[in-house]
Amino acid sequence: MNTYSFWLMFSDKRKAIKNKYRIPEKKLFRWAILGGSIGSILGMEAFRHKTRHPTFKIGMPLILIVEGYLFVEHVLPFLK
């Protein structure tokens, strides 16, 4: 998930530079919510893509926090 989310950020940045058809923001968020938030955040920083958009600047870290909480509360207890 993270690798694909990272690649999506790279691909969208490349398309933005070339003025080609862009990847919808819903798709970028969908992959982050499905578990690729770390890859999305790393892609944003590595390619300086979507870093000025408040929905991404706040939304992606918020998704990561929620995913971390869900992991700690619902996955870790099953691993014990």
Side-chain angles (χ1 to χ4, degrees):
M1 295 294 195
N2 285 307
T3 303
Y4 187 67
S5 294
F6 185 84
W7 180 83
L8 281 175
M9 286 294 179
F10 166 74
S11 179
D12 193 47
K13 176 66 175 193
R14 187 177 56 207
K15 289 178 181 192
I17 292 170
K18 295 180 179 183
N19 288 323
K20 291 190 174 185
Y21 178 74
R22 304 282 300 279
I23 297 170
E25 291 183 354
K26 285 182 180 181
K27 184 174 184 176
L28 298 174
F29 272 107
R30 187 179 311 126
W31 280 96
I33 290 169
L34 291 173
S37 59
I38 293 173
S40 294
I41 293 168
L42 291 175
M44 285 173 58
E45 295 300 321
F47 308 116
R48 291 181 289 172
H49 188 52
K50 303 280 188 187
T51 55
R52 292 185 182 185
H53 296 267
T55 53
F56 281 85
K57 195 172 187 176
I58 295 167
M60 290 298 175
L62 186 60
I63 292 169
L64 177 60
I65 290 167
V66 170
E67 286 177 347
Y69 171 78
L70 292 174
F71 180 78
V72 168
E73 291 296 318
H74 298 286
V75 175
L76 283 183
F78 288 112
L79 299 177
K80 290 182 181 179

